[in-house]
Amino acid sequence: GYSRKIDAMPEAGVNPGLVLATGDSGEVYAAYVGDGRGTDILFTSSTDGGLTWSTARNLTGIRAGSDDFNPSIAVGLEGNV
């Protein structure tokens, strides 16, 4: 499986950490750990139940050397992600 060593926790690896949330009209939202500079949290969404997905957006700041992991995601009552 995928596991990446990071400076913040060199004794443990970071896994992809995929988390999903759904909206009332079939939207699916995903956040996960990417494998770019450092470790980044990426976000993508689907409006057709997961058949197609938007281009992933990096939700992590661009601070050099930062490691970000363990994403979380939720959809509120008004549809806000």
Side-chain angles (χ1 to χ4, degrees):
Y2 169 86
S3 182
R4 179 177 178 182
K5 301 289 183 192
I6 62 171
D7 292 338
M9 297 183 341
E11 71 284 353
V14 173
N15 64 33
L18 174 65
V19 291
L20 301 171
T22 58
D24 290 338
S25 300
E27 307 91 349
V28 182
Y29 305 98
Y32 58 97
V33 175
D35 190 23
R37 291 183 327 201
T39 302
D40 299 328
I41 303 295
L42 303 177
F43 171 83
T44 186
S45 61
S46 172
T47 57
D48 58 12
L51 295 175
T52 60
W53 292 87
S54 66
T55 300
R57 290 188 343 201
N58 188 332
L59 300 181
T60 307
I62 58 171
R63 191 177 84 226
S66 68
D67 291 318
D68 302 287
F69 47 93
N70 294 334
S72 180
I73 192 169
V75 179
L77 294 176
E78 295 179 4
N80 296 320
V81 178

